[in-house]
Amino acid sequence: MPSNQKVVNTERKIKSAFIYLTETKGIKAMTVSDITKFARINRSTFYTHYHDKTAMVSDFEDQILTHIEKLVLDHSDEKIGYQDVSEGTLHVCAAVETVVDYLNQEFNMSRALLGPSGDSQLETKIKKLLGRLIDRQLVEVKGHTRPTKIPDNFAREIIVSGLMSIIKVWLTEGNPETPKEISTIIMKTKYLSPP
């Protein structure tokens, strides 16, 4: 039991060091020596947990991607048709709400990885993941209320890029809105964008 707690504590230290160093130096400039110094661990301890810096970054990103995919798939049966946002009532998709809640729980890591000093490839990976998941329900999300239609690949890009932009603004501004407010903003934008 004590050894498991030691592993958890070490991983927590590495994670904290990574977040701090990403925001102050950036991922590219950060070294394993920086991480071990800030985390107050031996270099050999770091290598017990990760092969190298790239493996550590990949692990952190994979955790986020895996959680997002699971949360969305857990709610994949939910169907949301077109909603008239002018009526004042809006049903927030449970998948959106749970993903935003998760990003809020992992706010510092999400902010570090998706911020200007983070890994731009993570945003691309998240957009691809969300794009695949959205493909299944694109019609239900947009509805059939307008006479013109944007091809699905462009509509998907509008939805995914808009969602990522909202999340990045929220992360950059330091979380001034609650997860519920962000989820509502995301849902509203889905009905204000072109069909």
Side-chain angles (χ1 to χ4, degrees):
M1 188 79 123
S3 65
N4 286 342
Q5 188 58 44
K6 188 174 180 180
V7 168
V8 169
N9 288 339
T10 302
E11 289 175 355
R12 189 176 299 129
K13 287 179 183 180
I14 292 171
K15 185 176 179 178
S16 293
F18 172 78
I19 291 167
Y20 173 78
L21 291 165
T22 298
E23 293 182 343
T24 57
K25 289 186 85 166
I27 288 178
K28 290 181 183 176
M30 176 191 324
T31 65
V32 170
S33 294
D34 293 331
I35 296 165
T36 58
K37 182 179 177 182
F38 188 81
R40 295 184 176 145
I41 60 171
N42 295 323
R43 211 170 161 83
S44 61
T45 302
F46 175 86
Y47 288 116
T48 300
H49 292 266
Y50 301 104
H51 178 70
D52 56 17
K53 181 182 87 170
T54 303
M56 176 191 64
V57 173
S58 292
D59 183 58
F60 292 149
E61 291 179 353
D62 289 346
Q63 287 175 33
I64 288 175
L65 290 167
T66 300
H67 273 88
I68 290 173
E69 183 172 26
K70 182 184 180 326
L71 292 170
V72 172
L73 290 175
D74 285 351
H75 299 285
S76 63
D77 291 342
E78 181 181 21
K79 303 287 185 221
I80 296 189
Y82 179 80
Q83 300 181 64
D84 186 352
V85 294
S86 66
E87 291 181 10
T89 58
L90 183 71
H91 174 75
V92 176
C93 176
V96 169
E97 204 163 29
T98 57
V99 168
V100 172
D101 282 340
Y102 168 71
L103 292 174
N104 187 56
Q105 290 167 15
E106 293 293 331
F107 190 84
N108 291 331
M109 180 60 80
S110 301
R111 180 178 177 154
L113 286 169
L114 290 169
S117 299
D119 181 9
S120 60
Q121 293 305 308
L122 178 59
E123 181 176 351
T124 302
K125 291 174 187 176
I126 291 173
K127 286 173 73 173
K128 284 182 182 176
L129 169 66
L130 293 176
R132 285 194 318 267
L133 298 169
I134 285 171
D135 277 346
R136 297 183 201 154
Q137 294 189 2
L138 191 58
V139 173
E140 287 83 8
V141 170
K142 292 301 301 168
H144 297 286
T145 60
R146 296 187 188 166
T148 61
K149 181 174 168 39
I150 293 176
D152 286 350
N153 59 330
F154 292 101
R156 180 186 330 100
E157 184 61 28
I158 289 168
I159 292 167
V160 173
S161 293
L163 185 134
M164 287 305 301
S165 294
I166 291 167
I167 294 295
K168 286 178 74 173
V169 167
W170 181 52
L171 294 171
T172 303
E173 291 182 354
N175 194 354
E177 292 84 10
T178 66
K180 181 113 177 118
E181 290 169 326
I182 290 299
S183 298
T184 301
I185 290 168
I186 289 169
M187 291 302 296
K188 283 182 180 177
T189 64
K190 299 308 113 206
Y191 304 107
L192 299 175
S193 61

